[in-house]
Each structure stands twice: as structure tokens, then as C-alpha cells.
Amino acid sequence: MIFVTLGTHELHFTRLLKELEGLKKEGKIQEEVIVQNGNTRFSSDYLQLIPFMSMEDMETYIKNSSFVISHAGTGSITTSLKLGKKVIIVPRLQKFNEHNDDHQLELSETFSRNGYVLPCYEEDRLENVIEQLKTFTPQVFTADNTQMLNILENFIEGEKLDAY
């Protein structure tokens, strides 16, 4: 089974679902495809769509999947990586009205540059990226929030100094 997560953002992400449905319909994807589609309204005879689910259910689907296809949401990506799954990231793009800005593109570039995931950008065919996944060995992901905590502490300390 392939697990796909679109997150819960209020804007649609039908672009990814149309491509997945086409691959499934053409027989290029043989496995069952289960999609957490959030607020993206879509109906399909080829994809199993579940708008919202608990974190526990999501983790169960991730654990039982052969790999994950995800929007570039940090929580979805890191959860999948922590559970040892190979991940393809398809960023939501502002120009298609899928998000308010292109921060998901930046996240995709960072996670892929560090060797954790395979990105699937607008010009890529998902079918080709799925094929690449067969020989892809991701870097082991470990969350290290030390740098972020230091930035926040410095920001807060700076704010305190400026406030007095």
C-alpha cells in the first residue's frame, strides 16, 4: 500500500491526486493507494480517500505502507522519516493556488539536499520519481532542534533587552 498525505491546509491539492489517479488507472501503480486528502475535495474509483484522521491512524497507515508520498509539510515528512519510510515530497505551489506562498518548495529543497527524501517538482513525472525510489537510500533522519532553540533564545533575549 502507498500512503499519501495532503495535510489539512484549506486550499486544494488536486494536481497530485489527478496524477496519482492517472497512474493507478493506467496500471502503472499496482498497489492500493490510501490518501489523507484533508480539505481537497476529490472523488475517485482508484484511490481510497480519507479526509481527516487521528495521528495514531496516520502513523498506522505510514507504518503499513511501502512508501509515502507527501505534501511538503514538516510534520508529515518528519513523522514518515522517523518511522523509517522512504518519502516522495510533492510541494504545494502558490502559482496553482495550492498554498499562500512557496515555503513548501523551500522545505522540499532542504529535505532533498540533505538526502532524506526524493522531491517531485512540477516538471517531474511522479511515475519517474517512484521508479527512482526503488534504488534510493535515504539518509537516516534525526531531529536536532538545538539550532532552532538557540535562534529563539537569542530572539527572546534580544526582545527583553530592547523592551527595557
Side-chain angles (χ1 to χ4, degrees), residues 1-6 16 20 34 58-59 61-71 76-77 79-81 83-90 117-118 126 129-130 133:
M1 174 266 290
I2 299 168
F3 182 66
V4 180
T5 177
L6 305 186
L16 175 56
L20 278 167
I34 298 177
M58 185 174 231
E59 286 180 2
Y61 282 114
I62 292 169
K63 287 177 188 174
N64 292 327
S65 68
S66 55
F67 64 91
V68 175
I69 299 173
S70 178
H71 71 121
S76 299
I77 297 166
T79 299
S80 299
L81 292 173
L83 292 172
K85 292 300 171 177
K86 290 184 178 183
V87 181
I88 294 173
I89 295 178
V90 183
V117 302
L118 285 180
L126 183 58
V129 180
I130 291 171
L133 197 66

Side-chain angles (χ1 to χ4, degrees), residues 16-163:
L16 175 56
L17 296 181
K18 287 178 182 177
E19 188 166 4
L20 278 167
E21 184 179 54
L23 293 173
K24 184 75 175 152
K25 187 177 183 178
E26 294 168 10
K28 294 180 179 178
I29 292 178
Q30 298 295 316
E31 296 180 76
E32 178 183 19
V33 179
I34 298 177
V35 180
Q36 176 276 314
N37 59 302
N39 290 303
T40 299
R41 297 186 189 277
F42 195 80
S43 61
S44 175
D45 294 330
Y46 300 92
L47 310 173
Q48 182 182 342
L49 302 161
I50 305 168
F52 301 97
M53 61 181 66
S54 69
M55 192 61 193
E56 293 81 20
D57 287 345
M58 185 174 231
E59 286 180 2
T60 299
Y61 282 114
I62 292 169
K63 287 177 188 174
N64 292 327
S65 68
S66 55
F67 64 91
V68 175
I69 299 173
S70 178
H71 71 121
T74 306
S76 299
I77 297 166
T78 58
T79 299
S80 299
L81 292 173
K82 287 176 184 177
L83 292 172
K85 292 300 171 177
K86 290 184 178 183
V87 181
I88 294 173
I89 295 178
V90 183
R92 291 170 171 263
L93 298 176
Q94 182 181 24
K95 72 179 182 179
F96 296 124
N97 198 33
E98 297 164 344
H99 217 300
N100 307 347
D101 58 31
D102 282 331
H103 76 277
Q104 287 205 352
L105 187 58
E106 295 166 7
L107 284 168
S108 295
E109 291 167 353
T110 300
F111 276 101
S112 64
R113 183 175 53 250
N114 287 295
Y116 298 125
V117 302
L118 285 180
C120 183
Y121 298 119
E122 175 189 357
E123 65 275 5
D124 298 325
R125 290 195 36 95
L126 183 58
E127 176 183 4
N128 296 339
V129 180
I130 291 171
E131 189 62 32
Q132 292 172 24
L133 197 66
K134 294 175 182 174
T135 58
F136 174 66
T137 303
Q139 294 295 314
V140 176
F141 178 77
T142 53
D144 179 8
N145 59 3
T146 307
Q147 185 178 5
M148 180 62 77
L149 291 174
N150 288 336
I151 291 168
L152 288 172
E153 285 175 5
N154 290 335
F155 176 78
I156 291 168
E157 291 300 318
E159 289 293 313
K160 284 183 184 176
L161 292 174
D162 291 342

